């Protein structure tokens, strides 16, 4: 079943904070946002929404299927718009950059392993934790290129 694309479809009342937060996720280039990121971005747009309200709305959106919550090794939850597609994540342990990917060979291999072990995969999430090789990451951490 595809995720709902609007507040009405998800069964939530239309309120200004909900509209602003949903709009933010739909138009931002940053796909993975923490509650604090949302708060900071809304403040930059001179939208005064309390952090407690943001946490509550993000949880409501997750429960309604509008957002997906991830707990990467950073220790805080991040949310992304649920577009109904499956993908996995690579997370830089130095700078926190997140890249999404989908690989049909990996998916097929995971399903084959599950079958070999007597399971049928319903859903899964794969997070790869790595160090990115981007110059901006290396500069941020004060490292020199080898």
């Amino acid at each position: 079943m595809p995720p709902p694309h609007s507040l009405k479809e998800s069964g939530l009342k239309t309120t200004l904070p909900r509209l602003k937060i949903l709009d933010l996720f739909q138009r931002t280039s940053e796909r993975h946002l923490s509650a604090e990121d949302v708060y900071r971005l809304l403040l930059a747009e001179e939208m005064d929404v309390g952090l407690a309200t943001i946490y509550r709305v993000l949880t409501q959106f997750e429960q309604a299927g509008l957002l997906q919550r991830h707990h990467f090794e950073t220790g805080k939850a991040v949310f992304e718009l649920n577009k109904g597609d499956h993908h996995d994540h690579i997370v830089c342990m130095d700078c926190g950059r997140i890249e999404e990917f989908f690989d049909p060979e990996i998916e097929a291999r995971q399903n084959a392993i599950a079958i070999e072990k007597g399971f049928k995969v319903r859903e899964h999430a794969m997070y790869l934790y790595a160090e990115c090789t981007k110059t901006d990451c290396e500069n941020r951490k004060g490292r020199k290129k080898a």
Side-chain angles (χ1 to χ4, degrees):
M1 180 166 150
H5 296 290
S6 70
L7 295 175
K8 187 176 181 179
E9 286 179 50
S10 64
L12 295 171
K13 283 186 180 179
T14 301
T15 65
L16 186 58
R18 286 180 181 154
L19 287 171
K20 286 292 191 180
I21 292 170
L22 184 57
D23 178 61
L24 181 68
F25 275 94
Q26 290 173 334
R27 65 182 163 77
T28 186
S29 61
E30 182 66 37
R31 287 201 22 107
H32 303 88
L33 300 171
S34 68
E36 292 81 8
D37 294 332
V38 171
Y39 180 71
R40 184 178 27 80
L41 291 168
L42 290 176
L43 275 180
E45 296 178 0
E46 299 181 8
M47 177 70 188
D48 187 23
V49 179
L51 193 54
T53 299
I54 292 170
Y55 276 107
R56 186 172 46 256
V57 169
L58 292 175
T59 299
Q60 291 167 344
F61 283 4
E62 178 191 14
Q63 291 169 345
L66 292 168
L67 296 178
Q68 292 177 318
R69 179 189 307 247
H70 300 283
H71 293 278
F72 299 127
E73 291 294 315
T74 59
K76 63 181 174 180
V78 294
F79 297 84
E80 71 175 309
L81 200 57
N82 181 3
K83 294 185 176 180
D85 64 332
H86 170 75
H87 58 268
D88 296 305
H89 298 86
I90 301 175
V91 182
C92 177
M93 294 300 293
D94 287 335
C95 71
R97 183 170 68 99
I98 302 166
E99 291 290 333
E100 299 173 351
F101 70 95
F102 176 81
D103 186 306
E105 291 180 38
I106 291 173
E107 299 299 317
R109 185 68 187 126
Q110 289 173 334
N111 285 324
I113 290 170
I115 290 168
E116 288 171 14
K117 303 290 182 183
F119 293 91
K120 180 180 178 190
V121 176
R122 288 188 187 175
E123 63 180 68
H124 81 277
M126 180 168 51
Y127 306 132
L128 301 177
Y129 298 102
E131 296 172 356
C132 69
T133 57
K134 294 261 186 189
T135 303
D136 59 337
C137 177
E138 292 168 350
N139 290 340
R140 254 195 306 261
K141 293 298 177 181
R143 297 183 306 181
K144 301 276 186 205
K145 277 186 130 176

